[in-house]
């Protein structure tokens, strides 16, 4: 993970870097640093500390930092704990370096280049700086070329050489680096999203190409020394303009935005009452001719895939798997030209998903991506892409990205059923009409958020929580449970409620609140029986159920939230919004940093 930034030009590098690093914090926020090259004096000063970018800003405010060329970094610790020594940039000899990725053979390199007593940090990144320094005899290209051939793993490196003032060098393998020109100079960053405020175009540094960035422009060389031409792309994604609109946290704002962004994701893809993907240039034969679908994704995006699988199974009746992207390549999964691999990712930069997608492509599969951030690596790598129109999602806990991914999967399921002749036009139109009700029904849940806030107060002190349901209810509880865990730090486990009695029910006590979701007609009576089973063991149950269901007079619940009614396959949407709010209010009332939970980063770019 980690965010990286570089600027060289006429303006004060410090201000640009600090502003941009703040926006890059979603890539990691345990420590931060900048290195500034003081013009012709060619001195490189490093300022870094453990903590957030605001701590670095405080540190820098006490100093006079005047340079117009610099590199900056915000870290998510992998090798070496959170400390100012382990923060980047790392200075070794004449080399100062920032790194995103993991140098897997750092231990071998320490031995090979006799670095054991020479390093000041515990990071793999400082080892990369030392290897570069070892090869640096005045020719930066030779040093970079020789050094990167020794590095194993993934890396995006931004480099300053003490005796080459005003110039930033960079090189990468897998981990992204993008480059843009501003009115007064040139910039590089780990992703384009933060460059939107400076420019309207950018290019992606090709892998294993050396970038030389000076005030007047960028030059690219491949490793044999040949120059290469950058491929400029339009930059239409700007996270810097995304404010909180008066909400205390981005997460609340993003939850509340869902009706609008779901509508914006659906509307342009509906024509004459049925879904179509002409604007995304997805040909019908891709959806008609595939014999199997395989979703690769991580975390919340993977949970969206599980809902998609349940839908597509029941609507289209074709074989579909959902694979954890991090396991995909190591599980000997068979894909071929009849397999459609769908990579789902909010950021479009998750390295596990990106690598799984590349693997699928290499093995002949057709590929499609469902991505939120425009122009992201996964979108570029995939044969076809469908963008969710969620807009920038800043909170680490994903909410609107998830429900817009679901919206796309509903559209895909319906289009697939239509082009395969499973649905006629009328049935497709009826499905689409119900889908178009989602924004309004979801809004009804959001408008009643104080009811959910009350329910949240009842589980603030829980150490463990179980979430139970069946079918689609279970699918969304997996996501609801992840949400609660990541922002409230309450241990929570989602369980298919029929499975509980096969072991896990041993953990149910009166101190273990159980959250149950019951929205599916065909399994509701069984779900209510499973609720009784945990209540008989003393558990207090919070219930989210379709409002048309009736409860036994004698039944007692810690809280009941009645969900507005939709057809069963669509209940996922209002129920998900309710679970998001539950997690949000628990975290809020516990006084936690809702948007930036501990140990996490929004974009996960290490394997
Ligand atoms: O950007 P991506 O959708 O590929 O990210 C995948 C996961 O890292 C992400 O969904 C993560 O699980 C979120 N923190 C969940 O809220």
């Amino acid at each position: 993970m980690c965010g990286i930034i570089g600027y060289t030009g006429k303006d004060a590098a410090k201000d640009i870097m600090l502003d941009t690093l703040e926006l890059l914090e979603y890539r990691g926020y345990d420590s931060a640093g900048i290195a500034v090259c003081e013009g012709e004096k060619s001195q490189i000063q490093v300022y870094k500390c453990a903590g957030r970018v605001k701590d670095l800003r405080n540190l820098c405010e006490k100093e006079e930092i005047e340079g117009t060329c610099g590199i900056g970094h915000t870290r998510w610790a992998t090798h070496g704990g959170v400390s100012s020594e382990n923060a980047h940039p790392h200075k070794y000899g004449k080399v100062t370096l920032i790194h995103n990725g993991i140098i897997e053979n750092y231990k071998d390199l320490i031995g090979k280049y006799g670095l054991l007593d020479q390093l000041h940090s515990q990071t793999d990144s400082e080892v990369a700086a030392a290897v570069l320094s070892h090869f640096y005899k005045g020719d930066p290209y030779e040093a970079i070329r020789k050094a990167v051939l020794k590095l194993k793993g993934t890396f995006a490196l931004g480099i300053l050489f003490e005796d080459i003032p005003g110039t930033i060098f960079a090189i990468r393998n897998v981990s992204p680096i993008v480059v843009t020109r501003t009115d007064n100079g040139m910039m590089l960053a780990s992703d384009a999203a933060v460059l939107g405020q400076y420019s309207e175009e950018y290019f992606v540094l090709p892998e294993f190409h050396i970038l030389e960035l000076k005030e007047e422009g960028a030059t690219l060389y491949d490793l044999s020394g040949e120059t290469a031409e950058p491929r400029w792309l339009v930059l239409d994604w700007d996270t810097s303009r995304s404010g909180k609109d008066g909400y205390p946290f981005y997460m609340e704002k993003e939850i509340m935005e869902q009706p609008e962004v779901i509508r914006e994701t659906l509307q342009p893809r509906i024509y004459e009452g049925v879904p179509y993907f002409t604007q995304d240039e997805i040909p019908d034969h891709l959806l008609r001719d595939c014999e199997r679908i395989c979703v690769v994704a991580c975390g919340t995006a993977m949970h969206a895939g599980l809902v998609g699988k349940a839908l597509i199974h029941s609507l289209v009746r074709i074989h579909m798997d959902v694979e954890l992207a991090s396991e995909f390549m190591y599980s000997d999964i068979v894909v071929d030209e009849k397999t459609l691999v769908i990579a789902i990712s909010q950021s479009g930069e998750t390295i596990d998903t990106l690598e799984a997608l590349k693997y699928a492509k290499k093995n002949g599969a057709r590929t499609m991506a469902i991505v939120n951030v425009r122009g992201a690596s996964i979108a570029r790598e995939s044969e076809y892409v469908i963008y969710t129109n969620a807009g920038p999602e800043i909170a680490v806990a994903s909410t609107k990205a998830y429900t817009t991914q679901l919206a796309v999967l509903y559209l895909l399921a319906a289009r697939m059923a239509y082009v395969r002749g499973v649905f006629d036009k009328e049935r497709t139109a009826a499905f689409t009409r119900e889908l178009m009700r989602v924004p309004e029904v979801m809004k009804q849940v959001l408008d009643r958020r104080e009811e959910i806030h009350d329910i949240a107060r009842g589980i603030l002190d829980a150490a463990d929580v179980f979430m139970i349901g069946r079918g689609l209810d279970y699918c969304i509880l997996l996501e609801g449970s992840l949400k609660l865990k990541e922002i409230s730090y309450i241990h929570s486990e989602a369980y298919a409620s029929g499975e509980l009695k096969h072991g896990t029910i041993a953990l149910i006590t009166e101190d273990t609140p159980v959250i149950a979701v019951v929205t599916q007609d065909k399994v509701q009576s069984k779900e209510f029986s499973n609720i009784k089973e945990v209540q008989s063991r003393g558990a207090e149950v919070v219930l989210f159920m379709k409002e048309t269901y009736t409860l036994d007079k004698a039944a007692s619940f810690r809280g009941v939230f009645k969900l507005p009614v939709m057809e069963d396959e669509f209940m996922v949407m209002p129920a998900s919004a309710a679970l998001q709010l539950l997690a949000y209010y628990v975290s809020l009332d516990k006084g936690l940093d809702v948007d930036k939970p501990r140990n996490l980063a929004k974009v996960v770019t290490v394997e």
Side-chain angles (χ1 to χ4, degrees):
M1 358 261 246
C2 306
I4 66 179
I5 187 75
Y7 172 79
T8 180
K10 290 191 173 59
D11 297 325
K14 177 192 83 172
D15 299 334
I16 291 177
M17 287 193 292
L18 289 174
D19 291 349
T20 324
L21 283 178
E22 248 153 30
L23 298 172
L24 278 169
E25 271 195 327
Y26 61 83
R27 288 181 150 261
Y29 38 81
D30 58 42
S31 50
I34 57 172
V36 182
C37 169
E38 301 273 349
E40 289 309 308
K41 285 187 279 168
S42 73
Q43 279 171 353
I44 293 172
Q45 302 293 344
V46 174
Y47 308 88
K48 56 185 184 175
C49 62
R52 302 268 166 103
V53 176
K54 67 174 170 13
D55 302 307
L56 177 66
R57 198 181 274 283
N58 288 340
L59 177 82
C60 290
E61 259 158 27
K62 295 181 196 126
E63 311 282 339
E64 275 186 27
I65 305 172
E66 284 175 355
T68 61
C69 171
I71 51 179
H73 190 270
T74 174
R75 179 170 186 249
W76 185 82
T78 58
H79 294 55
V82 177
S83 65
S84 61
E85 292 77 36
N86 289 338
H88 299 216
H90 292 286
K91 199 160 190 237
Y92 198 103
K94 288 186 172 155
V95 171
T96 304
L97 164 148
I98 49 175
H99 168 220
N100 173 26
I102 291 182
I103 308 296
E104 287 167 7
N105 61 335
Y106 74 101
K107 276 194 191 143
D108 299 343
L109 297 170
I110 290 175
K112 185 162 181 184
Y113 295 102
L115 301 173
L116 199 56
D117 301 322
Q118 311 295 316
L119 302 169
H120 298 98
S121 75
Q122 290 82 51
T123 63
D124 52 334
S125 312
E126 191 188 2
V127 176
V131 174
L132 254 169
S133 168
H134 170 87
F135 287 115
Y136 185 56
K137 310 278 184 267
D139 181 345
Y141 307 101
E142 185 182 274
I144 294 172
R145 197 165 49 243
K146 286 186 170 163
V148 296
L149 294 176
K150 304 287 177 200
L151 305 182
K152 290 202 178 109
T154 56
F155 49 83
L157 303 175
I159 309 156
L160 296 174
F161 291 96
E162 190 135 83
D163 48 359
I164 313 179
T167 305
I168 303 170
F169 293 87
I171 189 157
R172 75 178 189 99
N173 176 34
V174 183
S175 308
I177 290 183
V178 295
V179 182
T180 194
R181 53 179 150 235
T182 71
D183 291 344
N184 284 326
M186 298 295 296
M187 287 177 83
L188 64 80
S190 40
D191 47 62
V194 297
L195 299 178
Q197 58 180 320
Y198 299 102
S199 182
E200 285 170 2
E201 56 175 8
Y202 72 106
F203 69 84
V204 181
L205 176 63
E207 285 179 345
F208 287 104
H209 281 61
I210 299 172
L211 169 74
E212 186 193 60
L213 206 62
K214 293 172 184 283
E215 180 187 327
E216 49 284 0
T219 320
L220 302 183
Y221 302 91
D222 66 18
L223 287 189
S224 63
E226 294 295 316
T227 54
E229 278 307 307
R231 237 187 88 225
W232 289 93
L233 303 166
V234 176
L235 183 49
D236 57 1
W237 186 265
D238 184 357
T239 41
S240 65
R241 287 195 204 114
S242 170
K244 288 191 201 147
D245 283 356
Y247 290 101
F249 287 100
Y250 280 108
M251 185 177 175
E252 186 176 348
K253 175 193 169 218
E254 289 161 4
I255 290 173
M256 297 303 289
E257 277 173 355
Q258 289 179 108
E260 189 190 330
V261 295
I262 290 171
R263 196 174 289 114
E264 280 168 16
T265 300
L266 293 174
Q267 206 119 51
R269 297 182 172 105
I270 294 170
Y271 181 66
E272 292 184 345
V274 298
Y276 80 132
F277 288 96
T278 313
Q279 72 157 36
D280 308 289
E281 298 177 8
I282 311 263
D284 279 341
H285 67 76
L286 187 75
L287 307 179
R288 194 177 45 232
D289 299 341
C290 61
E291 287 175 2
R292 201 183 136 217
I293 300 177
C294 180
V295 166
V296 289
C298 303
T300 293
M302 190 275 290
H303 293 153
L306 290 175
V307 174
K309 173 179 160 177
L311 269 179
I312 289 174
H313 270 173
S314 81
L315 261 51
V316 190
R317 302 232 154 248
I318 77 163
H319 185 86
M320 179 160 172
D321 297 301
V322 177
E323 302 291 341
L324 288 171
S326 54
E327 293 292 314
F328 184 71
M329 283 175 296
Y330 311 103
S331 312
D332 298 323
I333 288 161
V334 181
V335 293
D336 58 22
E337 68 284 358
K338 292 282 182 195
T339 314
L340 174 62
V341 170
I342 305 181
I344 308 180
S345 174
Q346 187 286 128
S347 62
E349 298 294 345
T350 302
I351 205 101
D352 288 321
T353 310
L354 179 61
E355 290 298 299
L357 181 71
K358 286 183 183 167
Y359 176 89
K361 242 170 107 176
K362 208 166 98 205
N363 285 281
R366 309 302 304 268
T367 55
M368 178 195 286
I370 301 175
V371 171
N372 191 36
V373 175
R374 283 178 193 265
S377 304
I378 290 170
R380 292 194 306 268
E381 193 63 40
S382 177
E383 221 179 323
Y384 298 99
V385 57
I386 302 178
Y387 285 110
T388 50
N389 293 340
E393 189 183 66
I394 310 292
V396 165
S398 187
T399 53
K400 61 176 181 166
Y402 171 69
T403 49
T404 52
Q405 286 159 357
L406 293 182
V408 168
L409 288 164
Y410 277 87
L411 289 171
L412 267 179
R415 184 77 197 172
M416 251 185 185
Y418 182 52
V419 298
R420 285 171 172 252
V422 185
F423 276 12
D424 59 15
K425 189 156 185 189
E426 212 175 298
R427 185 144 177 232
T428 315
F431 183 94
T432 311
R433 273 197 303 279
E434 186 67 355
L435 183 56
M436 285 305 289
R437 283 185 62 227
V438 165
E440 176 48 37
V441 175
M442 199 181 247
K443 187 172 175 301
Q444 290 168 26
V445 172
L446 301 178
D447 287 347
R448 288 163 53 206
R449 59 192 178 283
E450 271 314 313
E451 285 176 52
I452 298 175
H453 197 166
D454 270 348
I455 292 176
R457 290 187 184 102
I459 59 167
L460 287 187
D461 298 326
D464 304 286
V465 162
F466 280 90
M467 300 203 178
I468 61 170
R470 288 176 175 232
L472 279 174
D473 291 336
Y474 170 55
C475 290
I476 58 162
L477 283 167
L478 286 166
E479 173 55 14
S481 174
L482 174 64
K483 227 60 324 156
L484 187 68
K485 271 186 281 221
E486 68 181 336
I487 59 170
S488 77
Y489 315 146
I490 292 176
H491 167 245
S492 158
E493 225 178 298
Y495 239 80
S497 50
E499 181 63 14
L500 206 64
K501 57 187 172 295
H502 296 288
T504 307
I505 202 163
L507 297 174
I508 299 289
T509 68
E510 60 262 28
D511 296 325
T512 328
V514 172
I515 292 158
V517 171
V518 184
T519 70
Q520 302 293 303
D521 289 357
K522 70 175 175 203
V523 286
Q524 56 117 342
S525 61
K526 294 206 182 338
E527 291 182 305
F528 279 119
S529 299
N530 297 141
I531 290 172
K532 287 217 171 82
E533 287 160 14
V534 294
Q535 285 174 324
S536 312
R537 271 101 195 148
E540 288 206 52
V541 176
V542 169
L543 177 63
F544 293 87
M545 69 166 194
K546 209 190 236 183
E547 68 186 357
T548 43
Y549 295 158
T550 44
L551 293 172
D552 285 354
K553 289 230 166 50
S556 121
F557 289 90
R558 193 180 273 194
V560 177
F561 185 87
K562 295 189 175 176
L563 293 158
V565 176
M566 301 196 76
E567 280 173 25
D568 277 11
E569 52 272 66
F570 300 92
M571 286 304 295
V572 157
M573 292 292 211
S576 294
L579 293 172
Q580 292 166 351
L581 285 167
L582 181 74
Y584 172 73
Y585 284 123
V586 173
S587 177
L588 185 77
D589 287 358
K590 285 178 101 172
L592 299 171
D593 186 343
V594 180
D595 286 340
K596 288 189 180 139
R598 72 181 175 212
N599 301 342
L600 298 183
K602 179 88 182 145
V603 184
V604 182
T605 56
V606 292
E607 281 179 82

